[in-house]
């Protein structure tokens, strides 16, 4: 395949990640389309993830770009960008962004073999926030009182848990809830609530469902 | 160069939004800036009372927006500081009399002539709050060291973040040192660790605030009051100065000085 300085292609899983290295500004679309045309045969029927770095793309441009790719039998499986505008455009069109594409390498260690993806959230989950995901959820930050996380998989919290968490929502009994500090009564796994009356423990703990009872165990025993 | 718009909000009512607005406005005016306060609490106005300007109201914010008067006609000039103005809220209307775009337009009209515009937000997370944060460049979240006030502050900070208006700055109001020492009140650190936002200042509980509020004389005018000093320090921090937090411990005086002398003497 032909090479262009500004655009590179790299395989990742079943997808091709196409990265635009330099800030191309308004010429980006033309250059990118030219690149696709040059490599049309190679890219035929491919699933591509477009990494545009700090480039701003509005929803209209992204829409026409996706149509252009569809015309060439290429499916746009995701858009990576450091710009919020671009991510918003992608979300508007239902194209996955970086946060929803981050994949945990070995999900089975999270007690959960059927799921292979995780959403990583790097902020404080505040009162009134509702997070609903069909995959594992990793929070880097605190989960404050009054917030709710519902997940079909496991929930890992690198911070203090004071909100409500429901892991394994659709009945996955292997789902678990991890937190650096467990300070909630609103934890459920597959519909079973955490047993009450446990005193507060300022240590990393994990909630596990065994024999229809959800118990807290020390997280130190488990190596992730 | 135009003015910066500060919105003072809290979620919960009664934590001291209006007191904070009035005191910051007076403090910034006393530092020599041109300041306009905007009361966006339509139907429950009281910024005019706290500033002592109640009986000078002719026109209000809704009159401006609905074209019954010019902007200048509704601006009440404070006699203590010639560059301090108030635009009062309407008392006989409700929050739906204004929209977020009205607030943005109003502040944009004021910006060229002012240094600071301070918007007093109503309690709650509905229309009135949305109106108040629409024009904001800086959002100050006022809370008390109480679980209920901190919960509401957390909720409001979440909304501010989701509207991409953040980061919010925190003011902890009415901290009672003796209660904290007895372990009966949340400490400032407890509040900051839950809310995870920048702290702009801590205002100690001070009964003189109630007296000054009733008189319409903001506490910041009283240089002996710790609460007044705390508000002045917040105003100076907004202005970009690096002012250390007040020593609220009460252990000032001889013992502290002796301790400091001894430590420094050893070096």
């Amino acid at each position: 395949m032909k090479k262009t300085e500004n655009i590179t292609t790299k395989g990742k899983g079943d997808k091709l990640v196409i990265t635009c290295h330099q800030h191309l500004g308004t010429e980006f679309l033309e250059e990118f389309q030219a690149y696709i045309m040059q490599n049309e045969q190679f890219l035929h029927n491919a699933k591509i993830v477009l990494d545009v770095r700090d480039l701003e793309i509005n929803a209209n441009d992204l829409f026409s770009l996706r149509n252009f790719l569809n015309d060439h039998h290429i499916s746009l499986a995701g858009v990576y960008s450091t710009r919020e505008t671009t991510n918003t455009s992608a979300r508007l069109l239902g194209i996955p962004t970086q946060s929803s594409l981050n994949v945990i390498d070995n999900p089975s260690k999270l007690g959960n073999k059927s799921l292979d993806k995780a959403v990583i959230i790097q902020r404080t989950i505040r009162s009134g926030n509702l997070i609903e995901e069909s995959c594992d959820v990793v929070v880097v930050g605190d989960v404050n009182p009054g917030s709710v996380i519902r997940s079909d998989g496991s929930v890992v919290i690198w911070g203090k848990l004071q909100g409500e968490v429901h892991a394994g929502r659709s009945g996955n009994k292997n789902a678990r809830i991890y937190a650096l500090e467990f300070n909630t009564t609103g934890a459920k796994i597959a519909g079973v609530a955490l047993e009450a009356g446990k005193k507060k423990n300022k240590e990393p703990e994990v909630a596990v469902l065994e024999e229809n009872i959800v118990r807290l165990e020390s997280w130190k025993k488990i190596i992730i | 160069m135009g003015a910066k718009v500060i919105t003072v909000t809290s979620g919960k009512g009664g934590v001291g939004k209006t007191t904070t607005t009035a005191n910051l406005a007076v403090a910034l005016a006393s530092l020599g800036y041109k300041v306009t306060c905007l009361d966006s609490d339509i139907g429950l106005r009281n910024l005019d009372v706290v500033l002592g300007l109640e009986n000078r109201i002719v026109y209000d914010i809704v009159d401006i927006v609905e074209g019954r008067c010019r902007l200048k006609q509704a601006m009440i000039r404070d006699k203590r500081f010639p560059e301090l103005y108030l635009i009062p809220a309407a008392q006989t209307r409700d929050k739906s009399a204004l929209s977020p775009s009205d607030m943005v337009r109003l502040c944009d009209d004021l910006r060229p002539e002012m240094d600071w515009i301070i918007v007093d937000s109503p309690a709650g997370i509905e229309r009135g709050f949305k109106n108040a944060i629409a024009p904001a460049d800086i959002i100050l979240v006022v809370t008390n060291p109480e679980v209920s006030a901190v919960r509401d502050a957390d909720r409001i900070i979440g909304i501010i973040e989701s509207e991409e208006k953040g980061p919010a700055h925190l003011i902890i109001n009415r901290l009672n040192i003796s209660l904290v020492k007895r372990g009966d009140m949340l400490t400032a650190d407890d509040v900051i660790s839950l809310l995870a936002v920048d702290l702009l200042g801590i205002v100690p509980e001070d009964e003189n605030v109630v007296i000054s509020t009733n008189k319409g004389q903001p506490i910041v005018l009283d240089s002996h009051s710790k609460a007044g000093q705390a508000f002045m320090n917040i105003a100076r921090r907004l202005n970009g100065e690096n002012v250390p937090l007040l020593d609220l411990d009460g252990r000032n005086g001889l013992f502290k000085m002796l301790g400091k002398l001894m430590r420094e003497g050893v070096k």
Side-chain angles (χ1 to χ4, degrees):
Chain A
M1 67 186 280
K2 286 177 189 167
K3 281 198 173 171
T4 316
E5 274 178 33
N6 292 330
I7 302 176
T8 56
T9 305
K10 204 175 166 188
K12 191 178 179 187
D14 62 340
K15 297 182 187 76
L16 286 170
V17 178
I18 300 186
T19 310
C20 304
H21 289 283
Q22 276 177 10
H23 192 93
L24 299 170
T26 46
E27 288 126 48
F28 158 74
L29 283 175
E30 287 165 28
E31 191 156 339
F32 182 72
Q33 289 180 351
Y35 176 82
I36 297 291
M37 309 255 259
Q38 278 169 15
N39 299 296
E40 203 181 344
Q41 279 199 315
F42 175 74
L43 294 168
H44 193 78
N45 280 337
K47 283 185 200 164
I48 66 162
V49 172
L50 194 55
D51 183 352
V52 295
R53 303 287 166 97
D54 62 347
L55 192 69
E56 260 189 47
I57 305 181
N58 64 34
N60 273 337
D61 285 350
L62 198 60
F63 182 72
S64 49
L65 185 64
R66 185 170 62 176
N67 286 345
F68 171 83
L69 291 171
N70 285 343
D71 291 345
H72 291 80
H73 305 280
I74 301 165
S75 74
L76 185 58
V79 172
Y80 285 0
S81 175
T82 54
R83 283 289 172 114
E84 196 45 40
T85 326
T86 310
N87 288 331
T88 311
S89 308
R91 268 181 236 122
L92 273 174
L93 297 171
I95 302 169
T97 56
Q98 195 141 23
S99 64
S100 51
L101 281 168
N102 275 322
V103 172
I104 282 191
D105 288 329
N106 196 345
S108 61
K109 284 183 183 166
L110 292 180
N112 175 358
K113 291 188 176 92
S114 60
L115 300 156
D116 63 346
K117 280 184 179 174
V119 172
I120 300 177
I121 303 165
Q122 296 187 51
R123 63 180 167 88
T124 305
I125 311 298
R126 300 187 182 276
S127 173
N129 287 166
L130 169 63
I131 291 173
E132 287 192 289
E133 295 291 345
S134 53
C135 52
D136 290 332
V137 176
V138 179
V139 179
V140 184
D142 291 341
V143 176
N144 282 355
S147 62
V148 180
I149 299 176
R150 296 192 191 121
S151 153
D152 291 336
S154 293
V155 178
V156 183
I157 296 154
W158 295 95
K160 199 189 276 185
L161 167 57
Q162 299 185 79
E164 214 176 282
V165 177
H166 192 171
R169 177 177 55 164
S170 53
N172 179 357
K173 293 187 174 179
N174 294 320
R176 291 173 174 191
I177 304 167
Y178 300 77
L180 295 188
E181 204 174 303
F182 231 98
N183 192 1
T184 182
T185 47
K188 276 186 191 173
I189 297 174
V192 183
L194 178 70
E195 57 175 354
K198 178 95 174 46
K199 73 171 185 354
K200 274 190 234 167
N201 208 346
K202 285 200 170 184
E203 280 181 0
E205 285 176 301
V206 50
V208 185
L209 175 63
E210 275 167 1
E211 292 156 3
N212 237 12
I213 297 170
V214 177
R215 284 200 193 87
L216 286 181
E217 292 174 0
S218 170
W219 188 357
K220 286 178 185 165
K221 289 181 196 161
I222 300 147
I223 302 149
I224 284 192
Chain B
M1 234 198 77
K4 276 196 177 148
V5 180
I6 303 173
T7 296
V8 181
T9 188
S10 69
K12 187 175 178 291
V15 297
K17 285 181 295 298
T18 304
T19 309
T20 303
T21 307
N23 280 288
L24 291 184
V26 169
L28 286 165
S30 75
L31 293 171
Y33 291 103
K34 296 178 194 167
V35 185
T36 296
C37 311
L38 252 169
D39 191 348
S40 72
D41 199 351
I42 317 281
L44 288 167
R45 75 172 173 211
N46 35 37
L47 183 56
D48 50 318
V49 180
V50 178
L51 279 168
L53 300 171
E54 183 183 16
N55 43 29
R56 294 179 49 206
I57 297 176
V58 181
Y59 292 113
D60 57 50
I61 191 167
V62 178
D63 291 325
I64 303 174
V65 168
E66 294 182 351
R68 277 188 294 278
C69 71
R70 280 175 291 114
L71 180 60
K72 286 269 165 67
Q73 288 176 297
M75 290 167 71
I76 305 169
R77 184 194 287 258
D78 191 301
K79 285 181 179 149
R80 293 157 294 196
F81 300 96
E83 299 286 13
L84 173 61
Y85 301 87
L86 166 71
I87 297 179
Q91 186 68 332
T92 53
R93 302 290 293 274
D94 60 39
K95 304 312 189 244
S96 62
L98 288 186
S99 71
S101 59
D102 290 333
M103 290 295 289
V104 172
R105 214 176 312 125
L106 185 58
C107 287
D108 284 346
D109 289 345
L110 279 167
R111 275 179 209 263
E113 305 186 24
M114 290 293 141
D115 297 312
W116 296 96
I117 299 165
I118 310 184
V119 182
D120 186 18
S121 155
I125 54 174
E126 296 85 13
R127 177 74 174 258
F129 163 72
K130 296 269 160 74
N131 286 344
I133 63 164
D137 300 314
I138 301 168
I139 298 182
L140 307 184
V141 174
V142 182
T143 190
N144 295 156
E146 291 166 23
V147 174
S148 56
V150 174
R151 291 278 166 95
D152 290 0
D154 190 41
R155 177 87 174 94
I156 224 109
I157 293 167
I159 299 173
I160 293 164
E161 284 174 353
S162 69
E163 305 231 331
E164 294 180 7
K165 281 277 181 186
H169 301 269
L170 183 68
I171 295 176
I172 302 175
N173 193 21
R174 303 187 63 183
L175 187 80
N176 186 325
I177 301 300
S178 54
L179 278 182
V180 168
K181 278 186 179 164
R182 290 209 314 254
D184 291 333
M185 186 177 246
L186 293 175
T187 67
D189 285 341
D190 292 338
V191 177
I192 297 161
S193 92
L194 185 99
L195 296 180
V197 288
D198 283 347
L199 179 71
L200 193 64
I202 301 173
V203 182
E205 174 92 299
D206 184 344
E207 60 186 16
N208 291 319
V209 173
V210 180
I211 301 166
S212 74
T213 303
N214 289 340
K215 282 190 193 159
Q217 296 271 356
I219 193 83
V220 81
L221 296 167
D222 174 2
S223 55
H224 300 296
S225 150
K226 280 239 167 181
Q229 287 169 31
F231 281 122
M232 182 55 91
N233 287 350
I234 292 170
R236 287 167 61 196
R237 285 181 203 120
L238 280 170
N239 198 27
E241 285 179 54
N242 189 2
V243 188
L245 283 177
L246 270 186
D247 172 38
L248 301 174
D249 208 359
R251 270 190 308 125
N252 45 3
L254 193 61
F255 285 103
K256 201 159 190 186
M257 242 162 68
L258 273 175
K260 199 179 165 194
L261 269 176
M262 280 169 72
R263 278 198 303 277
E264 282 173 5
V266 174
K267 275 182 204 164

